[in-house]
Amino acid sequence: MTIEKQELHSIAERRDRHPWHRFVALGDSYTEGIGDPEPHSLGGLRGWADRVAEELADGQPDFAYANLAIRGMLLGQILDGQLAPALALKPDLIAMSGGGNDIVFRHGDPDKLAEKIDEAVGILTATGATVLLYAGPDWGNTPVFGKIRGRVAIYNEHLHRIGARHHAIMVDLWCLPELQHALMWDPDRLHLSPLGHHSVAVATLNALGVPHTLKPSQPRPLPAHGWTQARAEDLVWAKQYFVPWVLKRMRPHQGIGLAAKRPQPGPVFGLGRPGPFPPGHPAARTSLPGAPHEVQAGLDPGLGSGRVA
């Protein structure tokens, strides 16, 4: 086989990896990518959804991805503000996550939350799209959050039941043992670290049955002390992160002043290629240090002036 034929065969194989062409992600800070900073990504964040989209886009030039998630959103806010826009984009792959802020900060009733998300998943799957659901991680070995373990577990069981009824694909973070490691979490212990986002991306692609190039993280030495042995550190964490976060959650922002980082589906450029920015999006007015003027304005230099990437 000639090199040219090998390359054509490789492209054909990549195009046959999966059937999806438009991916839309809904949710809160977990889906937005908080904890995974990347200055060259939209909004300065990457996250597991971006990492999944990068893999799904490989070899599929018509693949598009939108991320409607906004940090701090309660489940009702997600459904009220993101469900209709997601349907309008006509995706064939949808990631649906929400309810964590309700349970963690509002003592949300997992049974009532399940009723809301059940209806939403039914609406999404009725379009014929493949829907991804995410069972929350096991925070049993962490201070403070260990007390809500039971409610998280009940909510997860509801999600499994909802997924089975609507033929959604479940990504079960509770069953990911690597998420028990402190290195998988941001210092605030509320959000995933870049390594944690990477692990969720791997779990998502595996659940979809899509061949990918992501590799499980290489084993690293354990920290000098774990969370259960670091009570002094726990107190510092509670003062610096947990208490301010709870106070902020007591005054929900209702989404004022915040916008989804990718409200419109567009090509996935990967690292070093910010965009696409829809007209008027706040990220389009964000300058990147050292970036060309076209990039700062949300334009693709290769497309010429006046065209939004």
Side-chain angles (χ1 to χ4, degrees):
M1 181 181 293
T2 65
I3 294 177
E4 184 179 33
K5 288 183 177 179
Q6 287 178 336
E7 291 177 348
L8 290 174
H9 181 68
S10 177
I11 293 173
E13 282 184 337
R14 290 200 301 270
R15 287 179 176 172
D16 291 338
R17 290 186 312 146
H18 66 80
W20 301 288
H21 300 274
R22 179 165 291 193
F23 172 40
V24 175
L26 295 76
D28 49 32
S29 58
Y30 159 76
T31 304
E32 185 183 356
I34 300 295
D36 190 6
E38 172 48 61
H40 296 299
S41 291
L42 280 175
L45 299 169
R46 195 177 179 200
W48 64 265
D50 285 26
R51 294 170 183 271
V52 168
E54 290 164 14
E55 288 295 311
L56 295 178
D58 183 29
Q60 291 201 197
D62 63 339
F63 184 85
Y65 158 59
N67 190 320
L68 307 182
I70 297 177
R71 68 198 73 178
M73 286 278 180
L74 302 175
L75 180 60
Q77 294 172 322
I78 293 171
L79 300 181
D80 291 343
Q82 299 177 27
L83 191 62
L87 292 171
L89 298 177
K90 300 186 183 304
D92 53 12
L93 177 63
I94 303 169
M96 175 69 208
S97 176
N101 287 330
D102 299 76
I103 292 176
V104 174
F105 301 111
R106 293 302 182 90
H107 303 287
D109 183 337
D111 298 328
K112 293 181 179 179
L113 292 172
E115 291 177 2
K116 292 182 180 180
I117 202 167
D118 187 8
E119 181 180 358
V121 173
I123 293 172
L124 293 173
T125 55
T127 67
T130 299
V131 176
L132 288 159
L133 291 176
Y134 290 79
D138 183 2
W139 278 331
N141 64 346
T142 63
V144 182
F145 294 131
K147 296 180 180 180
I148 64 171
R149 189 184 190 209
R151 278 186 288 142
V152 173
I154 292 172
Y155 188 49
N156 283 348
E157 287 301 306
H158 279 302
L159 291 175
H160 280 284
R161 175 179 53 83
I162 292 167
R165 179 163 63 250
H166 295 293
H167 305 288
I169 295 177
M170 178 61 65
V171 183
D172 196 343
L173 305 185
W174 186 283
C175 294
L176 286 185
E178 58 264 38
L179 290 186
Q180 298 297 315
H181 200 291
L183 292 177
M184 294 287 173
W185 296 91
D186 187 80
D188 68 7
R189 303 191 188 180
L190 297 168
H191 300 103
L192 294 165
S193 67
L195 186 58
H197 279 283
H198 169 83
S199 296
V200 172
V202 171
T204 300
L205 292 165
N206 288 344
L208 289 172
V210 175
H212 57 84
T213 61
L214 301 184
K215 298 180 180 180
S217 56
Q218 298 296 323
R220 298 180 180 181
L222 290 174
H225 51 271
W227 291 340
T228 55
Q229 290 79 31
R231 292 308 176 191
E233 182 179 328
D234 290 340
L235 294 175
V236 173
W237 162 78
K239 180 179 180 180
Q240 293 182 350
Y241 293 106
F242 182 70
V243 173
W245 186 272
V246 170
L247 293 176
K248 185 177 180 181
R249 293 281 73 74
M250 292 172 66
R251 300 184 294 272
H253 52 67
Q254 301 296 326
I256 297 176
L258 296 178
K261 66 180 185 179
R262 291 183 69 105
Q264 296 294 329
V268 180
F269 296 127
L271 293 179
R273 291 290 302 278
F277 299 121
H281 188 269
R285 299 189 295 272
T286 302
S287 297
L288 298 176
H293 173 73
E294 293 87 356
V295 172
Q296 294 181 9
L299 302 179
D300 186 337
L303 295 176
S305 61
R307 180 177 175 184
V308 177

